[in-house]
């Protein structure tokens, strides 16, 4: 993987981390306001999907090294 590709993946990971934090804040606000639990669960599912994508991209950036 070239340095350019790694840099692009790192930028994408940073953007996804920010989006993950935004979802976390939104979920907490929804819980405090007493929003519908179905909406909260949907938001949590989207947040988890973002986290899974972050992990997948980080694995591409830093591959497992078998010692």
């Amino acid at each position: 993987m070239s340095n350019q590709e790694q840099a692009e993946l790192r930028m994408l990971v940073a953007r996804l981390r920010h989006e993950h934090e935004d979802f976390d804040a939104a979920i907490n606000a929804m819980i405090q306001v007493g929003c519908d639990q179905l909406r909260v669960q949907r938001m949590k599912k989207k947040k988890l999907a973002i986290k899974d994508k972050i992990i997948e991209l980080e694995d591409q950036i830093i591959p497992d090294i078998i010692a």
Side-chain angles (χ1 to χ4, degrees):
M1 179 178 298
S2 71
N3 288 339
Q4 177 66 28
E5 290 172 331
Q6 280 190 353
E8 290 173 3
L9 286 177
R10 289 179 201 277
M11 291 294 294
L12 181 56
V13 168
R15 188 174 54 87
L16 287 172
R17 283 188 189 279
H18 183 71
E19 188 174 341
H20 186 266
E21 291 172 4
D22 289 346
F23 267 91
D24 193 40
I27 289 168
N28 289 334
M30 290 170 71
I31 290 171
Q32 287 183 355
V33 173
C35 193
D36 179 29
Q37 284 298 319
L38 183 59
R39 285 187 180 182
V40 173
Q41 289 296 67
R42 287 179 182 163
M43 293 286 282
K44 286 183 177 181
K45 189 173 181 178
K46 289 178 184 179
K47 180 182 157 190
L48 182 60
I50 292 169
K51 183 67 172 180
D52 290 344
K53 186 65 176 177
I54 290 169
I55 292 170
E56 177 186 327
L57 292 172
E58 286 176 338
D59 285 345
Q60 289 179 18
I61 295 170
I62 306 170
D64 291 336
I65 299 173
I66 300 174

